[in-house]
Amino acid sequence: MTQTFTEMWKDLAPLGRNPRTHGYRRYAWTPADRDCRAWFQAQAHTRGLRYEADRNGNQWAWLGDPADGDAVVTGSHLDSVPDGGAFDGPLGVVSAFAALDALRARRARPVRPVGIVNFGDEEGARFGLACVGSRLTTGQLTRERAHALTDADGVTLARAMEHAGQDPETLGPDPERLARIGAFVELHVEQGRALDLSGDPVGIASAIWPHGRWRFDFAGEANHAGTTRLADRRDPMLSYAETVLAARRAADLTGALATFGKVAVEPNGVNAIPSLVRGWLDSRAADQETLDTVVTAIEEAARERAERDGVDLTVVRESFTPVVEFEHALRDELNRLLGGAAPVLGTGAGHDAGILSGAVPTAMLFVRNPTGVSHSPAESATEDDCLAGVDALTDVLEGLACR
Ligand code: HGY
Ligand code: MN
Ligand code: MN
């Protein structure tokens, strides 16, 4: 039996949810990820869709034959950040299945293949790099680099994939698959309050801010916390702390965003001065120049302080996504299909749609988030708004695929 939006949502809800925090921990190639993938495959099967798992960890469900080309694809991702919310990613996948059901209920006849996708490892919560499935597909991430990605326990992505029964040797660009896609539309919960403020349940994306992740390694000297004179210390925690404050100041001054949200300390003992503090900077800005300015300012502040502390600093840019301006023709077409009144919004959040945008015409729909909170268990959207999102996506699929 085909499930409704609400039934699918209920079915998916317990998978990978931590009982203590109520947040999701759906990391790539873990049992929670496997359960989400099984859920996707089952949804494809109950609808009689053609199911494929590709070489790069993405799942596809097809109405019609993708080999016919010029396909209209929708979907998002099912993985999460550490203790993420229920909506970021899954809303786009569940809405995709529900919209396809609605298309069928309308007796709309697609003249183009319609695909639903679950992109693998969008958040990069386990291996540190976001949008792994879509980056591999477009060639923005090489197999060699992917193989070397390592989680916090030292497990490589290649090992984790093998463990999950996926062959890591076949990772790599998939131009044939991309060539079959005529349009990709990702529906996503809004990760801000623009729609709440404008009073609209659904909006359309204009652009994604340029953004990236930088790893700051502060290397000092481990020593006894009770016997080492302050003057004799080479304490990387001090350099790190100053850098976090400098990041906030630089972001404030430039109108950019800069966040240290993840930190690792060695040896991580209460009574030991750390030998190493490793902090990850996530920074985003409306334009490239501002992003360069803020990251340079943070790095300069970090170097200055590290020198004073006798600490060695290495900064590595682990990932970067340039500004994405979604294709205007497709964006305008979506606007027309939705009655011409949907607000058009930019976003600071990254998405597989952004990665794909260099290879295929891509657009995004946003569904109102009443608090704007995201990447947290408090992330939310009302059921009415979710259903409005499904309606909008159905109109878009009908308009694009059923002419
Ligand atoms: O981090 C991001 O912007 C996205 O949600 N992956
Ligand atoms: Mn996210
Ligand atoms: Mn997302």
Side-chain angles (χ1 to χ4, degrees):
M1 253 302 271
T2 302
Q3 293 179 316
T4 62
F5 176 93
T6 308
E7 288 164 345
M8 282 189 276
W9 197 253
K10 240 174 105 180
D11 214 24
L12 191 58
L15 308 185
R17 186 163 56 192
N18 183 279
R20 188 176 55 80
T21 60
H22 303 292
Y24 288 93
R25 298 182 180 182
R26 294 169 173 163
Y27 310 146
W29 308 115
T30 61
D33 187 47
R34 179 198 59 211
D35 292 347
C36 290
R37 289 169 182 276
W39 176 90
F40 183 97
Q41 188 171 358
Q43 294 298 332
H45 280 149
T46 56
R47 289 173 174 79
L49 304 175
R50 183 191 294 240
Y51 171 78
E52 286 176 288
D54 73 16
R55 299 185 276 111
N56 294 315
N58 311 308
Q59 296 178 293
W60 304 81
W62 290 102
L63 177 66
D65 186 350
D68 290 347
D70 201 24
V72 178
V73 177
T74 184
S76 189
H77 61 97
L78 293 175
D79 70 315
S80 77
V81 296
D83 284 327
F87 294 82
D88 176 356
L91 184 63
V93 178
V94 174
S95 299
F97 282 114
L100 194 122
D101 295 341
L103 259 196
R104 285 171 153 174
R106 289 181 188 180
R107 302 198 184 286
R109 288 182 192 284
V111 293
R112 297 165 72 176
V114 178
I116 298 177
V117 62
N118 167 31
F119 280 111
D121 200 1
E122 193 274 347
E123 298 287 7
R126 181 171 177 193
F127 297 101
L129 180 68
C131 300
V132 169
S134 54
R135 281 187 207 273
L136 282 163
T137 302
T138 56
Q140 292 174 45
L141 171 64
T142 62
R143 180 172 56 208
E144 293 66 35
R145 220 187 128 213
H147 279 189
L149 293 172
T150 306
D151 73 8
D153 297 322
V155 178
T156 61
L157 173 64
R159 277 292 309 276
M161 287 183 74
E162 262 165 9
H163 195 74
Q166 179 101 0
D167 181 5
E169 293 311 316
T170 59
L171 291 177
D174 201 346
E176 296 84 16
R177 184 173 298 278
L178 290 171
R180 292 171 171 182
I181 303 175
F184 174 58
V185 180
E186 179 170 359
L187 178 146
H188 206 278
V189 69
E190 198 203 343
Q191 296 168 293
R193 286 190 57 219
L195 292 173
D196 184 51
L197 294 171
S198 70
D200 296 282
V202 177
I204 299 171
S206 56
I208 299 180
W209 285 14
H211 58 281
R213 298 177 181 187
W214 288 261
R215 198 185 76 223
F216 284 58
D217 288 350
F218 298 93
E221 184 179 49
N223 212 333
H224 197 297
T227 61
T228 317
R229 290 187 328 141
L230 295 181
D232 294 339
R233 298 180 179 205
R234 292 174 52 218
D235 184 350
M237 189 63 85
L238 299 178
S239 323
Y240 173 66
E242 180 60 39
T243 305
V244 174
L245 298 174
R248 173 61 186 241
R249 279 194 298 272
D252 244 345
L253 280 173
T254 53
L257 298 168
T259 309
F260 278 95
K262 177 173 168 178
V263 61
V265 180
E266 291 178 19
N268 211 18
V270 180
N271 53 358
I273 296 159
S275 55
L276 179 79
V277 175
R278 177 168 279 167
W280 281 264
L281 169 70
D282 175 309
S283 191
R284 312 177 188 220
D287 59 79
Q288 186 62 50
E289 203 187 326
T290 308
L291 184 59
D292 290 343
T293 306
V294 75
V295 174
T296 305
I298 296 166
E299 192 173 334
E300 273 171 8
R303 290 210 180 281
E304 193 184 300
R305 178 69 204 209
E307 206 176 303
R308 272 199 280 148
D309 294 330
V311 160
D312 296 322
L313 171 65
T314 316
V315 179
V316 180
R317 189 177 83 176
E318 290 196 333
S319 70
F320 179 70
T321 309
V323 66
V324 171
E325 180 79 27
F326 288 113
E327 205 205 59
H328 289 199
L330 184 60
R331 182 179 94 187
D332 294 347
E333 175 74 355
L334 258 60
N335 213 339
R336 195 184 62 75
L337 292 169
L338 300 184
V344 179
L345 338 160
T347 175
H351 300 284
D352 294 306
I355 302 297
L356 249 59
S357 67
V360 298
T362 299
M364 288 190 77
L365 293 175
F366 291 128
V367 171
R368 175 164 54 192
N369 174 341
T371 61
V373 172
S374 186
H375 285 183
S376 142
E379 189 174 79
S380 71
T382 65
E383 187 168 355
D384 280 355
D385 284 356
C386 292
L387 296 177
V390 172
D391 274 349
L393 185 60
T394 310
D395 290 344
V396 165
L397 294 182
E398 185 172 4
L400 295 179
C402 301
R403 264 169 299 190

